[in-house]
Amino acid sequence: MQKLVLYSSLCLIVIAACSKDKFQDKPTIEIKSISPTYVTALSGAYTEIEMEFTDKQGDLDSVYLFKERLNTLVKPILAPFLPYPVPKFPEKSKGVLKVTLYNTDLAATANPSSKPDEPFGKEPDTIQFKIVVRDKSGNVSDTTTTQQLIIERS
């Protein structure tokens, strides 16, 4: 009987020691949707990235987007780093963030190559973003990567 009590107590201690908080100090993000993934060169065109986040303290501070051009022709990238401050909202440990990127943020090169068979006569940019979030305590999430986006250029 004493052994049963001893083993039961040890099991309870191990289970209690292994249980963890629901959320970590380090924020996490997961991309839920990107719409649209094909953006024309028209002014006012945009893409919206919707992400779900979790953060133990609920004190998100910034979203950082790193633009990566995937075209085979290598060219310098225009504004490869896009920081976005998170608007003030009640501290929540879980929620949704939406980032809206207009065509000026999406363009990857200053001078796209001519390509007469394309709708606007220029080679479209094929890009993806690597995204991280940071909270006010300085904790940074893991990097998540978007799917490819096609940006028509004029």
Side-chain angles (χ1 to χ4, degrees), residues 58-119:
D59 61 346
L60 291 186
D61 182 50
S62 301
V63 178
Y64 298 98
L65 296 104
F66 301 90
K67 189 185 319 177
E68 181 178 16
R69 185 170 188 261
L70 304 175
N71 296 54
T72 54
L73 181 60
V74 177
K75 288 191 167 209
I77 296 177
L78 250 174
F81 174 68
L82 302 170
Y84 281 86
V86 175
K88 294 197 185 311
F89 63 92
E91 292 185 355
K92 297 189 321 187
S93 55
K94 189 171 184 167
V96 174
L97 288 173
K98 287 185 183 180
V99 174
T100 303
L101 300 166
Y102 292 94
N103 62 357
T104 53
D105 293 330
L106 295 168
T109 60
N111 299 312
S113 302
S114 293
K115 203 164 188 185
D117 58 334
E118 291 295 331

Side-chain angles (χ1 to χ4, degrees), residues 23-149:
F23 302 119
Q24 303 174 24
D25 285 337
K26 181 170 104 171
T28 63
I29 52 171
E30 181 182 341
I31 296 173
K32 289 299 181 185
S33 68
I34 300 175
S35 180
T37 57
Y38 179 88
V39 181
T40 64
L42 304 173
S43 65
Y46 67 92
T47 289
E48 189 171 78
I49 302 172
E50 185 175 301
M51 300 168 279
E52 189 174 272
F53 74 88
T54 57
D55 182 46
K56 187 175 183 178
Q57 293 83 17
D59 61 346
L60 291 186
D61 182 50
S62 301
V63 178
Y64 298 98
L65 296 104
F66 301 90
K67 189 185 319 177
E68 181 178 16
R69 185 170 188 261
L70 304 175
N71 296 54
T72 54
L73 181 60
V74 177
K75 288 191 167 209
I77 296 177
L78 250 174
F81 174 68
L82 302 170
Y84 281 86
V86 175
K88 294 197 185 311
F89 63 92
E91 292 185 355
K92 297 189 321 187
S93 55
K94 189 171 184 167
V96 174
L97 288 173
K98 287 185 183 180
V99 174
T100 303
L101 300 166
Y102 292 94
N103 62 357
T104 53
D105 293 330
L106 295 168
T109 60
N111 299 312
S113 302
S114 293
K115 203 164 188 185
D117 58 334
E118 291 295 331
F120 295 96
K122 300 287 184 179
E123 179 186 31
D125 288 326
T126 302
I127 64 170
Q128 67 183 13
F129 286 99
K130 295 180 186 271
I131 304 172
V132 296
V133 295
R134 187 184 68 162
D135 65 14
K136 291 177 183 165
S137 304
N139 300 312
V140 178
S141 71
D142 288 336
T143 303
T144 189
T145 304
T146 66
Q147 66 191 64
Q148 291 183 3
L149 298 141

